[in-house]
Amino acid sequence: MPSSPVLTRAPARRPTGRPTAGDAASSTTSALVMAIILTSQLMIVLDASVVITALPKIQNAFGFSTTSLSWVQNAYTLAFGGLLLFGARVGDILGRRRVYMGGIAAFTLASLLGGLAQNGTWLLTARTIQGVAAAIAAPSTLALLMTHFREPRDRMRAISLYAAASSGGASIGLVIGGFLTDLLSWRWGLFINVPIGAALVLLAPRYLPETERNPGRFDLAGAVTSTLGMTSLVYGFVRAGSAGWADRATLASFAAALVLLAGFVLRELRAEQPILPLRLFASRERSGAYVARLFTVGGMFAFFFFVTQYLQEVLDYSALKAGFAFLPMTAVLFATSRMVPKVAARVDSTRLLVTGLVIALGAMGWARGLSASTQYFPQVAIPMILLGVGMGIAFIPLTSSGIAGVQPQDSGAASGLVNAFHQVGGSLGLAVLVTVFGTVSRHAQQSQHVAGATAAMAAKQNLAHGISAALTGSAIFLAVALAVVLVTAKNWRRPSRNPS
């Protein structure tokens, strides 16, 4: 921004190329648009993890088991991920600013209801409504960003900030959740959304541009079959972790998931206006980015879920101390995310993505060695820092590649698909690794005979053993993401050259 003496000079003496008052106003508006969109995305992504640090308190309050406790997170992420594509379609038809405001308003109300929950069912219902509201609002945030920032340099900077909010929101949520849980109550992790959401609803009509309405139909059948199919699949994995793979409910859940998801694909092939245009997968670049994102986020969400419990249940950290334990990771992730756009102009995006995933994979491989006697430093702290570096590098090319080359009429669906794979990846990853944790812990408990160990120490050893197995699964998830990137890298281009 120019200094005030420059702005007061006579027009004849102002050097060519200096910003005018109109430029300053435009810059201020762009900054406010960016702030609204980033705050919205951060709030939505953060809400998937803000309760994680509070899970032990929630478990004690409502009597959840270790495996069923995952539904406090999955109720949100499943509704979010399952309905994102429908939310994107609603934005295309009704106008993205209008839909964004409705979604944020509903999200704010559901946050208030969740904070007032008196039992587990009430809490899970509120979390589900939050997820539905987030699915309505989130696709419009990225679409509005793409609409406002059209210049390649401005768009790349905006995408990098958006990716930083998306990837860093989870770790920030852990810190904020721990802080609020210890100083006030776990309920304030939900209450904090109320004033923020109200402010966003008031600011949006003044600064966010409205998009044109596109006539069309809502693919409600596609939305229902996809959401119920993913919910059945996740429930099957969680159920297997507590009741075993031969349990009738487990098998029935997997069968229902197969039927519903197959029905969803058939519906999208035949629908006149599907919520998921299958042509989005025609690009090898985008397809690879979607699948790699699913496995990457799956491994990371499970890491947050299990390490939070490890810090509190094994190392006896308070919720506040556990939240602050993630602070180095958060700081490094954001610092790295800010540096990557400068490097991206000179380094091929595939190299950036592979570098980030290799660093993250090495860090997860180190973290999987947790035991009841492990200390926070270096066994936990250094892998966290390395994960922050790896994720800070990886998420920007993943995000830009997920929307690369899409036609304007598909921009909402493409941005919804990026977010859908993010949320569904978190739900599926956590469900699969909760199953690993439950199976390993159950077998370890049956065979554990530690001479002279107290019941409390034996419980900690059993918990640490199960968490170590789950983190091994997280490392496998990251390895699969890396393999997908290497296989699909042939047609990948630098983000700065993407036609979008």
Side-chain angles (χ1 to χ4, degrees):
M1 298 236 351
S3 61
S4 67
V6 173
L7 289 174
T8 57
R9 289 177 181 172
R13 298 182 61 187
R14 185 183 292 121
T16 303
R18 290 285 183 92
T20 65
D23 295 330
S26 176
S27 177
T28 300
T29 300
S30 293
L32 287 169
V33 169
M34 193 75 246
I36 292 170
I37 291 175
L38 288 182
T39 301
S40 305
Q41 180 66 5
L42 187 61
M43 182 174 70
I44 289 170
V45 173
L46 180 150
D47 217 70
S49 63
V50 72
V51 299
I52 291 181
T53 328
L55 285 176
K57 297 287 181 68
I58 295 174
Q59 185 175 24
N60 292 334
F62 297 136
F64 289 109
S65 67
T66 302
T67 51
S68 65
L69 189 63
S70 64
W71 284 105
V72 176
Q73 186 178 17
N74 281 339
Y76 176 78
T77 54
L78 271 175
F80 188 1
L83 292 172
L84 265 168
L85 297 174
F86 182 71
R89 186 64 180 153
V90 172
D92 288 337
I93 295 174
L94 299 181
R96 288 168 185 154
R97 187 180 69 185
R98 181 178 292 102
V99 169
Y100 162 84
M101 291 174 61
I104 292 297
F107 185 91
T108 303
L109 179 59
S111 298
L112 177 62
L113 295 176
L116 297 172
Q118 299 300 306
N119 53 60
T121 301
W122 183 339
L123 177 62
L124 295 183
T125 301
R127 293 286 286 168
T128 302
I129 297 173
Q130 277 188 306
V132 173
I136 294 171
S140 292
T141 61
L142 185 53
L144 287 167
L145 180 147
M146 301 297 285
T147 299
H148 185 81
F149 297 96
R150 297 182 180 274
E151 293 298 323
R153 180 176 296 181
D154 292 339
R155 178 172 288 188
M156 183 60 193
R157 178 177 175 274
I159 289 175
S160 70
L161 291 171
Y162 187 90
S166 299
S167 57
S171 52
I172 290 176
L174 297 171
V175 177
I176 294 176
F179 180 81
L180 294 174
T181 298
D182 247 23
L183 295 187
L184 297 170
S185 164
W186 63 266
R187 299 177 185 276
W188 279 92
L190 299 172
F191 285 149
I192 194 174
N193 293 326
V194 176
I196 297 174
L200 291 173
V201 171
L202 291 174
L203 291 172
R206 182 173 180 181
Y207 295 105
L208 294 183
E210 182 57 284
T211 59
E212 294 183 3
R213 299 189 190 187
N214 298 312
R217 298 178 180 177
F218 298 116
D219 183 13
L220 187 59
V224 171
T225 52
S226 64
T227 304
L228 292 181
M230 293 306 305
T231 301
S232 297
L233 184 60
V234 169
Y235 179 79
F237 280 114
V238 174
R239 178 76 182 184
S242 59
W245 291 94
D247 177 70
R248 290 184 179 181
T250 300
L251 297 175
S253 182
F254 283 127
L258 180 63
V259 171
L260 287 165
L261 292 176
F264 169 67
V265 173
L266 291 175
R267 168 68 186 177
E268 298 311 284
L269 287 171
R270 300 173 180 175
E272 182 179 348
Q273 294 178 329
I275 59 171
L276 175 56
L278 296 180
R279 59 181 174 270
L280 290 175
F281 293 96
S283 165
R284 189 174 183 177
E285 175 181 0
R286 289 195 299 269
S287 297
Y290 298 147
V291 176
R293 193 181 196 95
L294 185 144
F295 282 98
T296 300
V297 175
M300 289 303 301
F301 264 55
F303 176 85
F304 293 143
F305 181 85
F306 287 109
V307 172
T308 299
Q309 293 189 65
Y310 175 83
L311 293 172
Q312 295 186 61
E313 301 297 330
V314 178
L315 299 187
D316 296 322
Y317 280 22
S318 65
L320 178 61
K321 188 175 181 180
F324 275 109
F326 284 91
L327 195 56
M329 177 181 181
T330 304
V332 169
L333 192 152
F334 269 98
T336 305
S337 297
R338 295 291 290 162
M339 294 171 58
V340 168
K342 300 177 183 178
V343 179
R346 301 187 300 272
V347 179
D348 181 78
S349 63
T350 299
R351 293 184 181 180
L352 277 177
L353 187 50
V354 168
T355 299
L357 290 176
V358 167
I359 293 172
L361 177 58
M364 196 70 76
W366 186 351
R368 61 175 288 273
L370 295 178
S371 69
S373 59
T374 298
Q375 299 298 312
Y376 173 73
F377 187 87
Q379 187 69 34
V380 180
I382 294 182
M384 278 185 177
I385 292 172
L386 292 175
L387 280 170
V389 173
M391 291 299 100
I393 294 173
F395 270 111
I396 289 176
L398 274 179
T399 300
S400 59
S401 294
I403 57 176
V406 299
Q407 297 301 314
Q409 66 269 23
D410 290 333
S411 61
S415 61
L417 202 55
V418 169
N419 278 307
F421 272 88
H422 194 101
Q423 298 303 324
V424 170
S427 295
L428 276 178
L430 182 56
V432 170
L433 297 179
V434 161
T435 303
V436 172
F437 169 83
T439 302
V440 170
S441 297
R442 189 166 58 251
H443 290 165
Q445 191 172 17
Q446 292 171 356
S447 61
Q448 192 175 56
H449 298 286
V450 182
T454 64
M457 179 56 68
K460 287 185 177 183
Q461 291 172 340
N462 183 52
L463 181 62
H465 184 63
I467 290 174
S468 177
L471 295 183
T472 300
S474 289
I476 293 173
F477 272 43
L478 292 178
V480 172
L482 177 60
V484 169
V485 170
L486 294 175
V487 168
T488 60
K490 183 177 180 180
N491 294 338
W492 280 39
R493 295 162 290 183
R494 295 186 182 185
S496 58
R497 296 181 182 177
N498 285 337
S500 64

